[in-house]
Amino acid sequence: MPKGRIIKALSGFYYVESDEGIVQCRARGNFRNRKITPYVGDWVEYEAENHTDGYILAIDERENQLVRPPVANVEQAVLIFSVEDPKFSPVLLDRFLVHVEANGIEPLICMSKTDLNHDGIREELEYFEDAYTRIGYRVLRTSIYLEETIEQLKPYLTDRVSVFAGQSGVGKSSLLNILKPGVEIKTDETSKSLGRGKHTTRHVELIPLNEGGYVADTPGFSSLDFTGIEAIHLGDCFPEFQELSHDCKFRGCQHINEPKCRVKAAVDEGQVTKERYEHYVEFHEEIEQMKRRY
Ligand SMILES: Nc1nc2c(ncn2[C@@H]2O[C@H](COP(=O)(O)OP(=O)(O)O)[C@@H](O)[C@H]2O)c(=O)[nH]1
Ligand SMILES: [Mg+2]
Ligand SMILES: [Zn+2]
């Protein structure tokens, strides 16, 4: 049975790419009964007599999945944060990082619009670059006006499936348009379409890059609440806590009120930044509150 990958979903059709080319498939009814919906990014088995009448018969187990937007087997999340306009938000970056870590997806941080490089920005940029690099994250600078930064980004996207994420206005579509000239990426409509319970079906598509690899054309995560993340596991989403937490006095220490907490000591010693720790406490509280409400 031929196998391929769903690269686009539209109006009940799934476009499966394989060595044979792209086949337009429907899902077999039994998926719907079992409440499994094929996602863009899924590896599937299908049967097809021609290029427009295929059926998806089986879906391979997923490495990971994002529900909003629905996309499976994402290998990398490119977290795009502009240095200005909109202003860089460390708390939002940490929120994205927690999501990415919780989903087992590799993050790549892109500080975008680095052509806007006057004094105040430069200092802040260097500070955060250093802080996140020390945690072990990869941080790149990008600007659609600085070609060398685009060339530096390209190898990170080659031969893997990436999803771009970040606030509206940080330059996601602009970057995609440069990486894939000719594909007119619609401008971001998240802020408008998310309002007032308006029902919008998110159209997701994997855009093949010339160098190999795909970028999911989606506005990124549409929801950033912590559903599905337990407070006791939040610390696992902060890589710089990992080693330290072995030396906390209490097993399962949540680094909040426990005595002899190595993470809190590391904050005092400057090994863990105050901002990151404060965000951890803020998210922890948010998760606890969510739990109390339901
Ligand atoms: N100065 C500067 N402006 C940029 C850059 N990239 C995008 N922009 C501008 O930022 C605005 C939002 O860009 P867009 O790609 O629509 O952002 P998106 O909402 O994240 O998709 C547009 O006016 C772009 O021209 C950049 O590298 N430098
Ligand atoms: Mg956009
Ligand atoms: Zn602790």
Side-chain angles (χ1 to χ4, degrees):
M1 206 153 342
K3 278 191 87 160
R5 177 172 219 159
I6 302 177
I7 57 161
K8 180 169 142 184
L10 195 63
S11 317
F13 288 109
Y14 300 95
Y15 296 82
V16 179
E17 185 185 61
S18 70
D19 298 340
E20 321 277 295
I22 295 172
V23 180
Q24 178 182 299
C25 295
R26 288 177 183 282
R28 265 275 155 80
N30 58 359
F31 287 131
R32 266 167 243 138
N33 298 340
R34 281 167 47 215
K35 291 211 161 66
I36 298 175
T37 310
Y39 275 7
V40 167
D42 268 329
W43 289 99
V44 298
E45 287 177 16
Y46 66 96
E47 66 179 9
E49 310 232 301
N50 54 57
H51 281 275
T52 53
D53 296 300
Y55 277 98
I56 293 173
L57 302 174
I59 303 173
D60 279 8
E61 204 176 316
R62 292 170 183 156
E63 289 283 320
N64 57 49
Q65 65 176 52
L66 297 171
V67 178
R68 286 168 293 179
V71 52
N73 303 318
V74 174
E75 290 161 286
Q76 174 172 259
V78 182
L79 306 180
I80 303 176
F81 280 76
S82 48
V83 293
E84 194 169 70
D85 195 20
K87 205 172 141 38
F88 175 62
S89 163
V91 68
L92 191 61
L93 173 56
D94 286 341
R95 203 172 261 274
F96 273 104
L97 283 169
V98 166
H99 271 76
V100 167
E101 297 282 353
N103 283 293
I105 300 169
E106 181 116 6
L108 171 67
I109 301 170
C110 283
M111 304 288 248
S112 66
K113 306 196 187 182
T114 52
D115 55 284
L116 306 172
N117 193 9
H118 52 73
D119 285 349
I121 290 178
R122 198 177 312 135
E123 250 171 54
E124 201 186 47
L125 177 61
E126 279 168 11
Y127 171 80
F128 286 111
E129 238 170 12
D130 183 56
Y132 285 93
T133 306
R134 270 191 292 151
I135 296 168
Y137 288 121
R138 295 166 307 165
V139 185
L140 292 183
R141 298 181 181 195
T142 61
S143 163
I144 57 168
Y145 301 115
L146 302 170
E147 204 193 321
E148 68 273 17
T149 65
I150 305 297
E151 290 307 315
Q152 278 163 6
L153 170 61
K154 277 182 182 170
Y156 287 94
L157 305 174
T158 303
D159 293 335
R160 50 207 324 215
V161 175
S162 304
V163 58
F164 279 16
Q167 272 173 287
S168 180
V170 294
K172 297 180 296 296
S173 302
S174 305
L175 275 175
L176 276 173
N177 279 321
I178 285 192
L179 291 163
K180 185 71 186 178
V183 175
E184 195 51 50
I185 314 280
K186 302 133 272 121
T187 44
D188 216 330
E189 284 166 40
T190 36
S191 39
K192 275 165 264 162
S193 60
L194 276 179
R196 315 289 140 191
K198 192 171 147 193
H199 185 78
T200 47
T201 323
R202 223 158 263 280
H203 157 89
V204 183
E205 183 170 353
L206 296 184
I207 297 170
L209 300 172
N210 297 344
E211 291 82 6
Y214 296 88
V215 174
D217 173 22
T218 126
F221 310 119
S222 57
S223 168
L224 283 170
D225 68 26
F226 295 110
T227 308
I229 303 173
E230 302 266 357
I232 47 161
H233 297 310
L234 181 64
D236 300 340
C237 300
F238 285 72
E240 73 271 47
F241 293 9
Q242 299 310 295
E243 280 290 311
L244 296 165
S245 63
H246 298 303
D247 295 325
C248 292
K249 177 153 197 249
F250 294 101
R251 264 190 75 199
C253 178
Q254 295 189 43
H255 328 304
I256 307 276
N257 295 316
E258 298 90 337
K260 302 233 163 90
C261 167
R262 185 68 191 89
V263 171
K264 278 194 287 179
V267 177
D268 293 334
E269 291 159 15
Q271 232 177 309
V272 167
T273 72
K274 252 190 146 67
E275 290 108 337
R276 287 274 292 171
Y277 180 70
E278 279 166 8
H279 298 160
Y280 170 79
V281 174
E282 185 184 321
F283 300 162
H284 194 275
E285 176 61 19
E286 190 175 319
I287 294 170
E288 296 275 89
Q289 265 180 21
M290 225 162 60
K291 206 168 70 186
R292 280 197 290 273
R293 233 176 293 140
Y294 300 109

